[in-house]
Structure formats: C-alpha cells, structure tokens
Amino acid sequence: EAQVTQNPRYLITVTGKKLTVTCSQNMNHEYMSWYRQDPGLGLRQIYYSMNVEVTDKGDVPEGYKVSRKEKRNFPLILESPSPNQTSLYFCASSLSFQSRNTIYFGEGSWLTVV
Amino acid sequence: QKEVEQNSGPLSVPEGAIASLNCTYSDRGSQSFFWYRQYSGKSPELIMFIYSNGDKEDGRFTAQLNKASQYVSLLIRDSQPSDSATYLCAVSLAGSARQLTFGSGTQLTVLP
C-alpha cells in the first residue's frame, strides 16, 4: 500500500528540547516536503526536497532543519523548539516536483511546545 | 494581496442544496488548480483538479476555472452532512519553487 508515514503523531515537548519528526514514503518518490498548518493560515511549506541530498527552503523555514540522505526518508528537525512552533505538521511526497503528480500526505503530527 | 485567497467561512448550507466555494489567485501565469477536502484533524485529500478554462464535473462536484478573472470555484451539488469539512484551494504558481500554494481554506457545514 502506497503511504507516507510520520512519527510521532502526537507530541508535547518543552521549549529548547531538540526533536525530530520522521517521515518515510514507500513509493520511490523524488519530491518530498514538509508543511505546517495553523488556524486561518492554510498549509505553508517549510522545506522541500527535489531528490536525495537536494533540499531547499519553503515559505517558513525558520527554526527547522531537514535532511535527505535516503530517497525514502525526509526527517524534520527542530533544534530548539519554541511555543510558536506548536502546530499540525504534514509530510508529503510525489513522484516529482510537477504539480500534476498526485501528492500523498502523511497523517499529520500534532506538536505542542510548552 | 495573498497569492491564493479563499473566504474562510464558515459556510453553512442545508442538506441537498448546492454549496459554492470560491478561490482567487494572484499569478496570471498559474497553470494547475486543485481542490482538497480536509476533515478536522485529518490530512488533505484531493477531490478535483482543473487545468483548462471552463467546467469540469466529477459526480456531485464541479470545478470551474476562469483564468481571465483568476478565479476558480468548486460547486457541490446535493450537499450531504458528510461533505462538512474544510476545502482548500491550491494553485501551482508559475515560476514558483513551491509545488503548490494553498489558500487558507473554507469551512463548510452541511446542516441535516
């Protein structure tokens, strides 16, 4: 079954404690991205990756890091989380950057930073 | 001006009515347009896409695109309570490094 898997799904953490949200896809997709969703703001792209070892900033990259060492994995790293990073996060993948490719979303990760 | 704008709603319609959701976009060179449905706390799911001017129908859903007016809409006929969700408009903006730019979404409630 084609899927994008995120972990953890729910996390409460404290300010400053480094955390990583993992994302894995089993479809051999080249393009992967991370979004955050906040009330009234829709989905905003944090980082994206065109392929292995190729990553770039999206609209709201501040406070986040990513890596793409393997094609299937695209972890999101919060080095020093702050309360304004409390949000719902989605990982997504598609065959390529072309928007007409079907985009597969993970189930989302609810992150609360206190 | 936001790149992709939607009325945030909430929009309420009675069961069986037509729900009309609207979206405008700023980039005249945009090529591809998408409507996603998102239930509370769930991931977005694609329900319609449209690339050419005019109407595109899929079951109870019709997407309408007017590139001259930079306007895309979604009509839901015979609305059902199960259609209650947030509807996200997404646009592939010409020359953007972003795959898609999303609007903020319109919350739809279908009243039984």
Side-chain angles (χ1 to χ4, degrees):
Chain A
E1 180 190 353
Q3 58 185 9
V4 177
T5 304
Q6 298 178 223
N7 279 297
R9 294 286 319 283
Y10 305 92
L11 179 65
I12 301 174
T13 190
V14 296
T15 299
K17 185 177 180 182
K18 180 179 179 180
L19 70 93
T20 299
V21 187
T22 64
C23 175
S24 180
Q25 49 92 5
N26 63 357
M27 296 164 280
N28 202 37
H29 284 170
E30 289 185 350
Y31 189 90
M32 297 185 74
S33 57
W34 276 102
Y35 292 90
R36 63 177 288 174
Q37 187 172 31
D38 304 290
L41 294 177
L43 286 163
R44 293 181 293 168
Q45 194 177 53
I46 303 170
Y47 268 95
Y48 63 92
S49 170
M50 295 277 197
N51 213 324
V52 176
E53 302 291 1
V54 181
T55 64
D56 210 342
K57 297 176 180 178
D59 293 322
V60 287
E62 295 78 20
Y64 304 96
K65 285 175 58 177
V66 294
S67 68
R68 188 93 181 271
K69 293 185 173 59
E70 306 165 281
K71 201 170 189 179
R72 63 184 292 124
N73 296 323
F74 190 45
L76 180 70
I77 303 157
L78 286 74
E79 293 271 1
S80 182
S82 62
N84 64 13
Q85 293 178 296
T86 293
S87 190
L88 173 58
Y89 291 86
F90 288 103
C91 180
S93 78
S94 61
L95 191 62
S96 73
F97 169 76
Q98 290 300 318
S99 63
R100 298 187 183 192
N101 294 139
T102 300
I103 297 173
Y104 293 80
F105 285 92
E107 292 186 300
S109 295
W110 289 92
L111 172 64
T112 300
V113 183
V114 297
Chain B
Q1 180 189 7
K2 289 184 181 177
E3 292 170 306
V4 180
E5 278 201 81
Q6 298 180 249
N7 289 328
S8 60
L11 173 66
S12 294
V13 300
E15 185 174 355
I18 296 175
S20 177
L21 304 161
N22 304 316
C23 174
T24 58
Y25 58 94
S26 61
D27 189 337
R28 193 170 286 279
S30 299
Q31 297 290 325
S32 307
F33 307 86
F34 305 85
W35 283 100
Y36 284 81
R37 177 177 61 199
Q38 187 178 25
Y39 293 112
S40 182
K42 302 295 185 182
S43 57
E45 56 177 319
L46 181 66
I47 54 173
M48 289 286 292
F49 60 86
I50 186 167
Y51 305 142
S52 305
N53 272 333
D55 294 359
K56 180 182 179 182
E57 189 173 316
D58 183 0
R60 295 186 295 111
F61 298 97
T62 299
Q64 299 174 316
L65 175 61
N66 183 326
K67 289 187 177 181
S69 300
Q70 296 172 242
Y71 175 95
V72 57
S73 65
L74 179 70
L75 301 178
I76 307 174
R77 289 183 301 282
D78 188 24
S79 295
Q80 302 297 309
S82 59
D83 295 325
S84 298
T86 295
Y87 289 81
L88 300 168
C89 173
V91 177
S92 172
L93 297 178
S96 172
R98 282 167 286 169
Q99 190 178 37
L100 286 178
T101 301
F102 287 84
S104 57
T106 298
Q107 186 180 340
L108 172 67
T109 300
V110 181
L111 303 169

